């Protein structure tokens, strides 16, 4: 029998969305925080054009994409690395900077892939309590141990949807030891960019990384393009463990073109926020606790793990897929992505009906 190494066989596979609609039902997937719209027509055209040269390897240095990101955000192109989704960058950061002799720290209800990344390299995974779905800087600082190598924080957070103001993140960075890497994962950053609180300047300290992705606001989840801003020494080490030629030529071209259509991306974010608030209001009126969100999803507190489980099963039976949150330590919650208006309407209707049934 061929066995995997012990820490891999001890791991559970990463929980992917289950999207098998019952026979005869239309699949309504509000489960993966994808954009409610396809990518910008500019991105579609550029991606299709790049496919014509699909017999060639892609640019291993993501030259045009880095230049475009540099121009848009006013950051140095040479400090940008692009990943096969930001998941690749998260996994590689753990691989390069943590191991079985040290620890990775994150808030208690953080994006579950932070834990997976730590497990893959046998690092201890510590969590700091959150207060009411909000990251607590004090709790994170208290949870730091002498062997804490990386602190991962998503801002805004998934699945909580809540946002940490810049001043608090600066306080976190200043309170962490200089040899602890802070990774600020801004996968949903574009949805909060209107607040004007960029974090890229912290990277200049040499101990902080900021990650972003094209999977959410830019609607390119299927192209797998993430990126980040890295201090030079961190970038040098990270590249050693990243897969060469990691992003397809079509993905790079589509992402570069998407950046040129800021109006499209901003309009998507605005529409998402408008639909989100309408959905949230409906659910609140039905009696659900739905915390304020700064993202393209909302967290719905269902009252108990049992109620969440039963609601999830009932919705799935009708083809409506939300995402259970037991993996993030919130078994009493379901997360709903802000999808197309029609789909949200159906999901809200089903949840309203359930709320009434639960009362009777
Ligand atoms: C907080 C957070 N970080 C990273 C990712 C991964 O994104 P990508 O598609 O770029 O790998 C997600 C995806 O849902 C996310 O929610």
């Amino acid at each position: 029998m061929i066995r995997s190494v012990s820490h891999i066989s001890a791991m559970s596979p990463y929980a992917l969305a289950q999207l098998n609609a019952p026979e005869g039902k239309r699949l309504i997937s509000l489960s993966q925080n994808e954009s409610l719209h396809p990518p910008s027509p500019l991105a579609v055209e550029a991606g299709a054009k790049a496919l014509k040269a699909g017999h060639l390897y892609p640019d291993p240095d993501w030259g045009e994409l880095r230049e475009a990101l540099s121009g848009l955000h006013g950051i140095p192109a040479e400090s940008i690395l692009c990943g096969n989704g930001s998941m690749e960058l998260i996994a590689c950061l753990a691989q390069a900077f943590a191991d079985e002799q040290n620890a990775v720290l994150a808030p208690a209800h953080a994006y579950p892939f932070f834990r997976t990344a730590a497990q893959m390299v046998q690092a201890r995974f510590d969590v700091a309590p959150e207060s009411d779905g909000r990251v607590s800087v004090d709790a994170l600082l208290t949870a730091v141990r002498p062997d804490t190598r990386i602190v991962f924080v998503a801002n805004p957070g998934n699945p909580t949807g809540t946002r940490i103001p810049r001043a608090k993140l600066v306080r976190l960075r200043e309170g962490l030891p200089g040899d602890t890497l802070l990774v600020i994962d801004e996968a949903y950053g574009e949805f909060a960019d209107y607040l004007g609180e960029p974090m890229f300047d912290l990277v200049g300290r040499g101990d902080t990384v900021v990650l972003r992705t094209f999977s959410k606001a830019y609607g390119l989840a299927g192209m797998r393009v993430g990126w980040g801003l890295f201090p030079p020494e961190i970038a040098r080490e990270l590249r050693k463990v990243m897969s060469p030629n990691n992003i397809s030529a079509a993905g790079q071209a589509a992402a570069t073109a998407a950046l040129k259509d800021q109006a499209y991306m901003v309009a998507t974010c605005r529409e998402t926020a408008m639909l989100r608030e309408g959905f949230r209001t409906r659910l609140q009126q039905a009696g659900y606790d739905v915390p304020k969100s700064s993202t393209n999803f909302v967290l719905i507190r269902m009252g108990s793990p049992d109620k969440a489980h039963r609601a999830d099963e009932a919705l799935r039976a009708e083809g409506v897929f939300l995402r259970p949150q037991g993996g993030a330590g919130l078994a009493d919650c379901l997360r709903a992505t802000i999808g197309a208006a029609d789909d949200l309407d159906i999901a809200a209707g089903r949840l309203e009906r359930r709320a009434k049934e639960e009362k009777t």
Side-chain angles (χ1 to χ4, degrees):
M1 168 139 162
I2 298 175
R3 290 180 197 281
S4 62
V5 290
S6 57
H7 73 281
I8 300 296
S9 49
M11 275 175 75
S12 315
Y14 189 69
L16 298 165
Q18 299 296 322
L19 296 174
N20 303 316
E23 227 178 282
K25 299 275 180 196
R26 178 169 78 86
L27 170 69
I28 297 182
S29 171
L30 302 175
S31 59
Q32 300 208 89
N33 296 347
E34 295 147 334
S35 174
L36 77 164
H37 287 310
S40 149
L42 296 188
V44 175
E45 195 189 330
K49 201 167 151 208
L51 190 55
K52 292 196 177 138
H55 58 301
L56 303 175
Y57 280 106
D59 178 354
D61 287 318
W62 328 282
E64 288 182 16
L65 179 54
R66 290 212 279 189
E67 281 306 325
L69 286 166
S70 161
L72 177 69
H73 292 286
I75 51 180
E78 63 279 10
S79 301
I80 297 169
L81 296 183
C82 301
N84 191 259
S86 48
M87 286 176 115
E88 183 192 18
L89 299 170
I90 293 166
C92 289
L93 281 163
Q95 202 183 338
F97 295 98
D99 63 21
E100 69 277 13
Q101 296 184 359
N102 46 56
V104 167
L105 170 67
H109 308 305
Y111 177 47
F113 192 67
F114 298 151
R115 178 191 293 270
T116 303
Q119 286 174 336
M120 288 196 288
V121 299
Q122 288 182 275
R124 200 178 69 243
F125 186 71
D126 294 339
V127 292
E130 298 192 29
S131 44
D132 201 23
R134 294 193 166 271
V135 170
S136 160
V137 168
D138 289 327
L140 277 169
L141 290 175
T142 305
V144 172
R145 298 285 170 269
D147 63 355
T148 306
R149 284 288 161 276
I150 308 179
V151 177
F152 281 109
V153 180
N155 194 35
N158 171 19
T160 56
T162 54
R163 191 178 162 275
I164 318 162
R166 179 186 156 88
K168 287 196 178 179
L169 273 180
V170 171
R171 188 161 74 78
L172 172 62
R173 177 60 271 178
E174 284 171 354
L176 289 173
D179 61 354
T180 301
L181 180 65
L182 174 63
V183 179
I184 304 173
D185 175 352
E186 296 188 334
Y188 303 92
E190 286 81 4
F191 294 99
D193 272 349
Y194 71 95
L195 292 167
E197 294 202 339
M199 299 307 302
F200 295 121
D201 59 312
L202 281 195
V203 176
R205 298 170 44 108
D207 51 15
T208 304
V209 164
V210 176
L211 302 180
R212 288 215 166 191
T213 181
F214 285 87
S215 296
K216 310 298 174 187
Y218 287 101
L220 285 166
M223 290 282 101
R224 310 305 301 129
V225 191
W227 65 280
L229 191 68
F230 299 84
E233 308 72 39
I234 307 283
R236 195 185 56 227
E237 295 308 297
L238 202 66
R239 282 213 81 160
K240 294 181 188 171
V241 293
M242 286 173 62
S243 175
N245 294 311
N246 61 346
I247 309 178
S248 72
Q252 295 191 41
T256 307
L259 288 176
K260 297 194 178 116
D261 199 350
Q262 286 297 300
Y264 185 90
M265 186 276 285
V266 170
T268 300
C269 289
R270 289 211 179 113
E271 187 184 343
T272 303
M274 193 194 71
L275 290 170
R276 182 186 69 214
E277 292 318 303
F279 185 65
R280 209 176 137 235
T281 305
R282 257 181 93 171
L283 296 192
Q284 283 176 320
Q285 281 167 354
Y288 293 101
D289 177 6
V290 187
K292 193 171 171 345
S293 165
S294 302
T295 63
N296 68 339
F297 60 85
V298 290
L299 189 71
I300 311 167
R301 295 188 187 278
M302 304 298 295
S304 72
D306 185 46
K307 280 186 184 169
H309 179 68
R310 280 188 286 124
D312 187 41
E313 296 276 292
L315 268 83
R316 276 167 194 265
E318 303 193 54
V320 181
F321 288 69
L322 308 187
R323 193 75 171 261
Q325 291 303 319
L330 293 166
D332 59 328
C333 298
L334 295 176
R335 190 193 67 195
T337 301
I338 302 306
D342 289 358
D343 291 351
L344 283 179
D345 185 42
I346 293 171
R350 299 282 189 276
L351 286 162
E352 283 165 348
R353 205 174 65 200
R354 275 208 73 74
K356 274 196 202 132
E357 286 165 3
E358 291 277 345
K359 271 187 210 144
T360 52

